[in-house]
Amino acid sequence: MSGVRVALFVTCLVDGLFPDVGKATVTLLERLGHEVVVPRGQTCCGQMHVNTGYARQAVPIIRNHVEAFADADVVVTPSGSCAGSIRHQHADVAAEHGGRRLAAAAEEVAGKTYELSEFLVDVLGVTDVGAYFPHRVTYHPTCHSLRILRVGDRPLRLLREVRGIDLVELPSADTCCGFGGTFALKNADTSTAMLADKMTNIVGTGARVVTAGDASCLMHIGGGLSRLRAGVRPVHLAQVLASTAAAPMAVAVR
Amino acid sequence: MTFLGMPSRNLVGEPFPRAARAALGNAQLRRNLAKATGTIRAKRASVVAEVPDWAGLRAAGAAIKDAVLADLDTHLLRLEEALTARGTTVHWARDAEEAARVVTELVTATGTTEVIKVKSMATAEIGLNDALAAAGVRAVETDLAELIVQLGDDRPSHILVPAIHRGRAEIRDLFRREMPGVDPDLPDDPAALAEAARRYLRHKFTTVDVAISGANFAVADSGALVVVESEGNGRMCLTLPRTLISVVGIEKLVPTWQDLEVFLQLLPRSSTGERMNPYTSVWTGPTEGQTSHVVLVDNGRTATLADPRGRAALRCIRCSACLNSCPVYERTGGHAYGSVYPGPIGAVLSPQLTGVRHNKTLPFASSLCGVCYDVCPVAIDIPSMLVHLRGEVARTTAPNAESAAMRALAWAMSDSRRWARALRAGRLGRALGRRRDRIGRLPPPLSAWTDARDLPRPPRQTFRDWWETR
Amino acid sequence: MSTARAEVLRRVRAALAHRPPAPDVPRDYRRSGGPGDLDLFADRLRDYRARVRLTTPDEVTAAVVAALRERGLRQVVAAPGVPAAWVPDDIRSDDHHTAGGVVTACHVAIAETGTIVLDHDARDQGARALTLLPDYHLVVVRREQVVAGVPDAVAALAGVRTQTWVSGPSATSDIELERVEGVHGPRTLEVVVVR
Ligand code: SF4
């Protein structure tokens, strides 16, 4: 498919903390010949509020999101978790606390929202995006991309086509990394215990880069690896796919 | 909510984060749990994968349970009628205390001072053993793991493998110390330990006159009760004593005998990872000269039923697949949940049975990774239910720092100009990570994050600022 | 007691005030598989570490006698309705304590799960205690009793009041998840399948 006008939902976390992930998503989509727009009104999907028990307070956030993307043809976001919330929570929360009109509008936005790997593989029909990333990489499938969106092996199919990549399998890949939003704070000990096992598995692969489709989980995993000075760098899937031979991404361990 | 009275103390413990911290420090527990849950997970996955119509069975199982719940009064009355017609006496109990009292009275009326028990979650929930002890009656657990727990004056840590937290050497020492008549040189291999238990219990089976069981299923239209087990202690208890008292939660019903064609496939494969468990007993009214009683227990189930978003928890057939799959449970074990129902199902069921206000930390004892929903044979959407219960916690908690922060954040996030300003202000955090590109330890409450993980240093420019200048 | 009953029912009705319609149950699963595959049945039994002998109608007695001899048993208890053609009178005993095992028929058996179901009201299967206390249980299964799957067996068992479903010998995995066979029920299950 060519010439799609893609409305990017960059997510609050990428906007504020990981702008490079957003830039990489833009670079990638434009390189594939599509126009990217960034609706100004966007902020956050409201997932943290909903999942912490503040669904009512999330309603204005959801309303804002729905209005920001009402006119979009198709919405793409570099986050399995946010796409999951938009598709599987917004309409329900709206129906319970925000009214029928909002629920219907949320349903409509949900219907045209895709996580990045879904959009590439299912909508654009590409797995080879022309990327070049000459590093040893292991992939962590995030829980919400796996079990809410069911992205399956789409990210891996994309990664396998990357030139120069040395893709190594992550043991117990589909086990949660322990992030879980506010879980990481409310149950910090348990979260850390889960993180420790995830890090052991990552480090054991000998990979220099761990990649995933969610900046949030990568912040958690990366924060742990950085504290350990483990020498493994978290890189979002969009960044791996945006990297080319002409403009390779520099992978220095911070 | 229609729930009255005090929550059963067998459903509430200390706050989960604190209890979990203690459990996480226990290396032996962590090792045992990882091995046990890993083994059962793999077995379950392989026997579920060989069933081509698993999805169909799962959908049918969920629908049958929903149908029972939708007309629970009708089905309960039908069950009562069927049981009574075949000679079983039916009793009802509103809460744990009443259930324990009813059973205790039935037991003491027989004049016995000892009863044998088949493992049953319901009797643990109502605190039956303590109630019996207070009346001078000793309850002997006959399931091997329950016996280990009982002899150790311990609490079960898993629905299915209650002694999952104990190693063989510990069990041998326990048997040598606590089991009357045991070989003082008892070795620690599992076969020898099982043999010791066999001998000890064989004597009990043939001499004790009252047995107490639960039931995995109660068939409303015929009054058939079903106990699914492995060791044969269930068969012994159901068969040999003259009086049998079965404690059954009101959600255990299935409408017809035929419905078991679904559950007798779903349960063993999800539970022990077997195609079929070694023994299943079905009985319809007392046989062979027995007297039989059934005690139907509410204890918070009707309150659970009253919540349309929470009632699906009553579909649970206690297979424990969600426990074995849960990354939180695998690390903390069952005790951390403070309830006889641990793991993901415990985190949604216990707060509903007690009322959320008595159990505020359990709905948060999950990273919402969703594995529990995937493996649940009756398709209980535990993650969504946890989120719903978190809402109940927030709704019934007085305003605090968290709710204030959430409110402020929601205010900022519901308008992009406000949000852009907030993000720009957030860049002040760059000062914290001046030296390297990361932020190390911060004071509370942020220390909950930075105790174990660095934070990224906020970037010079947000994405939206970059986009505007592009 | 009656007040508890009234109260529980009242609570149920209050909880269902906006009574949800009971959903239709989708039965999109294998309802009837017909006759069971004997080889599969035997495989599944062996998986549970039950012993299996395949024989023909004429040779049931020989198979039973051979099984007992291998087990070192001179006498067994048999359910009262077990035909003399299976267990000759000279090896039949009434004494549970001296006989080392028990022989019964069954009501139905399931190939896919290796399960045998006893109907305790049937004379050739006996009361429950009969097959519970001995350490060795030999079951004779006739070809037409073996069905494909669980739904077939459940259908065949409609109306049977007292049942025991047996899938292999008694077992526990309660100690470090190591499987130990034979805790309380018979430690050895032997199945003679008549083709
Ligand atoms: S919630 Fe589902 S998976 Fe968990 S014990 Fe109950 S039936 Fe099994």
Side-chain angles (χ1 to χ4, degrees), chain B residues 188-200:
Chain B
D188 71 356
D189 75 289
L193 295 170
E195 172 66 23
R198 176 184 173 101
R199 285 197 202 181
Y200 168 71

Side-chain angles (χ1 to χ4, degrees), chain B residues 36 53 73 80 145 168 195 198 202 230-231 257-259 261 275-276 278 280 282 284 287 298, chain C residues 5 11 13 19 27 29-31 47-48 154 161 163 165 167 170 172 174 176 178 183-184 187:
Chain B
D53 51 349
D73 49 347
E80 180 187 49
R168 62 181 72 193
E195 172 66 23
R198 176 184 173 101
R202 181 61 66 113
S230 293
E231 294 172 9
W257 167 252
Q258 189 212 334
D259 293 317
E261 72 187 17
R275 296 189 180 104
M276 191 61 86
T280 296
V282 178
T284 315
T287 41
D298 178 353
Chain C
R5 177 180 186 274
R11 288 178 189 174
R13 287 173 184 139
R19 206 167 266 258
R27 304 271 177 187
Y29 53 88
R30 294 169 299 164
R31 297 299 299 282
D47 254 17
Y48 291 128
V154 167
R161 286 171 50 110
Q163 312 168 15
W165 294 43
S167 307
S170 127
T172 183
D174 279 349
E176 294 186 8
E178 196 166 296
V183 193
H184 302 298
R187 278 183 278 204

Side-chain angles (χ1 to χ4, degrees), chain B residues 91-307:
Chain B
H91 312 260
W92 300 69
R94 283 164 283 204
D95 54 27
E97 200 246 299
E98 185 168 41
R101 193 175 63 237
V102 168
V103 177
T104 306
E105 282 168 10
L106 290 170
V107 170
T108 47
T110 67
T112 186
T113 55
E114 200 167 44
V115 298
I116 47 178
K117 283 185 66 198
V118 195
K119 185 171 85 171
S120 127
M121 299 305 302
T123 61
E125 177 190 329
I126 65 172
L128 182 60
N129 291 8
D130 290 343
L132 287 170
V137 177
R138 207 171 98 85
V140 179
E141 296 289 352
T142 65
D143 175 79
L144 180 52
E146 289 283 355
L147 178 67
I148 293 166
V149 167
Q150 186 177 46
L151 291 175
D153 202 11
D154 199 357
R155 284 177 304 143
S157 58
H158 191 281
I159 296 181
L160 182 71
V161 206
I164 208 168
H165 56 294
R166 294 276 193 181
R168 62 181 72 193
E170 275 180 286
I171 296 170
R172 175 206 54 202
D173 296 345
L174 193 61
F175 279 14
R176 285 186 185 172
R177 205 167 58 233
E178 303 288 342
M179 194 179 271
V182 85
D183 172 7
D185 296 321
L186 182 67
D188 71 356
D189 75 289
L193 295 170
E195 172 66 23
R198 176 184 173 101
R199 285 197 202 181
Y200 168 71
L201 289 172
R202 181 61 66 113
H203 177 68
K204 298 288 177 199
F205 291 137
T206 49
T207 54
V208 178
D209 237 10
V210 179
I212 294 167
S213 81
N216 292 92
F217 305 100
V219 182
D221 72 347
S222 68
L225 297 180
V226 182
V227 163
V228 173
E229 55 141 347
S230 293
E231 294 172 9
N233 59 310
R235 293 176 72 188
M236 293 278 181
C237 289
L238 300 173
T239 304
L240 300 175
R242 270 204 296 257
T243 301
L244 174 63
I245 304 165
S246 306
V247 181
V248 182
I250 55 172
E251 83 287 16
K252 291 278 147 191
L253 276 63
V254 296
T256 66
W257 167 252
Q258 189 212 334
D259 293 317
L260 290 177
E261 72 187 17
V262 173
F263 295 105
L264 290 178
Q265 296 190 71
L266 291 175
L267 180 55
R269 289 183 195 257
S270 300
S271 171
T272 47
E274 293 169 297
R275 296 189 180 104
M276 191 61 86
N277 52 292
Y279 299 132
T280 296
S281 294
V282 178
W283 73 102
T284 315
T287 41
E288 296 148 25
Q290 271 182 335
T291 303
S292 93
H293 297 271
V294 165
V295 183
L296 295 170
V297 183
D298 178 353
N299 200 36
R301 285 162 179 75
T302 49
T304 309
L305 185 67
D307 181 355

Side-chain angles (χ1 to χ4, degrees), chain A residues 15-16 30 40 42-43 49 51 54 96 144 147 150 186-187 191 197 220 223 226-227 229, chain B residues 16 21 309 331 364 367-369 374 390 402 406 409 413 438 450 453-454 459 463-464 468 470:
Chain A
D15 190 358
E30 288 181 345
R40 283 192 145 179
Q42 65 176 289
T43 57
H49 284 81
N51 285 351
Y54 297 89
E96 195 175 343
H144 290 181
R147 284 179 284 267
R150 310 270 169 203
K186 284 177 181 276
N187 282 287
S191 167
D197 291 344
H220 171 73
S226 145
R227 175 62 55 83
R229 313 288 185 262
Chain B
F16 183 84
R21 174 191 282 258
R309 289 181 161 245
R331 287 165 185 82
F364 295 91
S367 65
L368 304 180
C369 82
D374 273 13
R390 291 174 183 192
E402 179 188 285
M406 286 290 180
L409 206 51
M413 285 175 159
R438 57 176 172 251
T450 58
R453 333 158 181 86
D454 289 339
F463 176 83
R464 71 180 61 223
E468 293 296 328
R470 193 168 90 118

Side-chain angles (χ1 to χ4, degrees), chain B residues 350-431:
Chain B
S350 312
Q352 296 200 81
L353 293 177
T354 61
V356 165
R357 66 188 185 285
H358 297 291
N359 237 329
K360 286 189 171 182
T361 60
L362 285 185
F364 295 91
S366 164
S367 65
L368 304 180
C369 82
V371 170
C372 48
Y373 181 24
D374 273 13
V375 298
C376 177
V378 286
I380 302 175
D381 183 354
I382 294 176
S384 296
M385 210 176 282
L386 286 164
V387 168
H388 165 64
L389 294 173
R390 291 174 183 192
E392 293 298 296
V393 173
R395 204 171 53 76
T396 55
T397 301
N400 56 19
E402 179 188 285
S403 63
M406 286 290 180
R407 228 171 280 277
L409 206 51
W411 179 78
M413 285 175 159
S414 46
D415 179 278
S416 61
R417 276 164 311 234
R418 288 198 291 259
W419 181 236
R421 276 198 298 276
L423 284 184
R424 271 178 220 126
R427 281 177 312 161
L428 297 176
R430 282 178 68 76

Side-chain angles (χ1 to χ4, degrees), chain A residues 24-37, chain B residues 467 470:
Chain A
T25 312
V26 173
T27 305
L28 172 65
L29 292 170
E30 288 181 345
R31 192 175 77 222
L32 293 172
H34 307 287
E35 184 193 347
V36 178
V37 295
Chain B
W467 179 260
R470 193 168 90 118

